[in-house]
Amino acid sequence: MPLPAPTSALAEARSGPRRLLVLEDEPDIAALLHLHLSELPAEVVCVADGREGLRRALEGGPWDALVLDLRLPGLGGLEVCRELRERGQRLPILMLTARGSELDRVLGLELGADDYLSKPFSILELQARIRALLRRVAHAGALVAAATPQASEQIRSGALLIHRGQRQAWLGEAELVLTPREFDLLWHFASQPKKAFSRAELLDQVWGYGHDGYDHTVNTHINRLRNKLGLGFIHTVWGIGYRFEAKE
């Protein structure tokens, strides 16, 4: 199968400071986010309205990550996330949710957000989460910059083809629309078939940090991958976690 050109801005290797888009309507929190995310260092743009934020996300890029509050005027954060994913945007998204709003967190992850953080949050944890997202953006760009048709890494498992350099995957003739985190998770599984991983191991090895209490993050991404891949690839290993079973 001929490989099309990358469709995501994440696949483009580029130099310069990282660019973060923050959608947050509370002025004090927006100022706090701008101050501390700028220290990463990064160029930070804050927008207070969901509809304007969606426009900036689509037209004002390239962006390296989006920090998205779910309670926004104009257009809610969940709708912003839905619109971005339906339009094929693979921009990494960190959601900010109210403490205890489990349903919002689950819905956000189901719609394609990569991670979440509950308010009130620790500045150090916020910076760590964004650094983890930015490392993956930089890593993806480096892979594509170094890739050649001969050297690109690929994994084929039955009808599934994964191309690491292009950060694209196909099931038969259909390209899978994967978020950055979903792609990282799929590659991690497929590159180590038949190996069982616990949720804690996946958080550490794919998300880039270890943290108790974020089972929903792993579970939801697994469910999304299963919905896109169909049955037979990712299996539950009871009492342990998950395993990718290569198809011949």
Side-chain angles (χ1 to χ4, degrees):
M1 177 188 303
L3 297 174
T7 58
S8 168
L10 294 177
E12 298 176 3
R14 63 181 182 83
S15 58
R18 303 295 90 186
R19 298 187 72 233
L20 305 180
L21 179 62
V22 174
L23 305 192
E24 170 59 66
D25 67 317
E26 296 185 43
D28 291 345
I29 296 179
L32 187 72
L33 291 169
H34 189 281
L35 174 66
H36 291 285
L37 292 179
S38 297
E39 296 172 352
L40 291 178
E43 175 190 345
V44 181
V45 175
C46 295
V47 179
D49 178 82
R51 199 168 300 280
E52 173 62 15
L54 176 62
R55 187 190 70 78
R56 294 291 296 271
L58 292 170
E59 302 174 7
W63 303 102
D64 294 294
L66 169 64
V67 179
L68 176 63
D69 186 26
L70 295 193
R71 300 289 184 259
L72 293 169
L75 190 68
L78 291 175
E79 287 303 311
V80 172
C81 184
R82 186 199 307 274
E83 285 283 334
L84 289 174
R85 294 313 186 215
E86 287 182 352
R87 298 188 192 199
Q89 286 284 335
R90 299 171 184 175
L91 174 67
I93 298 175
L94 173 69
M95 299 183 307
L96 298 178
T97 70
R99 184 173 299 279
S101 57
E102 182 178 8
L103 179 59
D104 282 347
R105 292 196 294 270
V106 172
L107 285 175
L109 293 170
E110 289 284 358
L111 291 173
D114 296 278
D115 202 357
Y116 69 86
L117 197 58
S118 296
K119 295 180 179 180
F121 50 81
S122 156
I123 291 298
L124 291 178
E125 184 173 6
L126 169 71
Q127 291 177 328
R129 299 294 187 87
I130 294 298
R131 283 193 182 100
L133 289 179
L134 295 181
R135 280 197 299 270
R136 296 195 177 280
V137 171
H139 182 58
L143 283 174
V144 173
T148 68
Q150 294 75 29
S152 298
E153 294 180 77
Q154 298 182 33
I155 294 175
R156 184 181 288 278
S157 177
L160 177 66
L161 173 64
I162 312 169
H163 192 287
R164 189 179 189 185
Q166 299 283 13
R167 291 185 66 81
Q168 291 173 284
W170 297 264
L171 190 60
E173 296 296 319
E175 182 180 354
L176 299 174
V177 180
L178 303 174
T179 67
R181 190 73 74 194
E182 289 167 359
F183 182 89
D184 291 337
L185 186 59
L186 177 59
W187 181 268
H188 188 76
F189 273 127
S191 63
Q192 301 175 79
K194 300 185 179 181
K195 179 177 180 179
F197 295 95
S198 69
R199 293 174 181 83
E201 288 173 327
L202 292 171
L203 277 171
D204 183 59
Q205 296 168 21
V206 178
W207 274 256
Y209 54 84
H211 198 290
D212 293 332
Y214 286 88
D215 283 356
H216 273 311
T217 302
V218 176
N219 295 348
T220 303
H221 281 79
I222 294 290
N223 290 338
R224 286 176 58 83
L225 269 182
R226 281 173 165 166
N227 288 337
K228 295 176 181 183
L229 293 172
L231 298 176
F233 285 98
I234 300 176
H235 301 266
T236 299
V237 182
W238 297 108
I240 299 177
Y242 302 98
R243 179 187 75 244
F244 181 91
E245 190 71 35
K247 281 189 169 185
E248 300 300 331

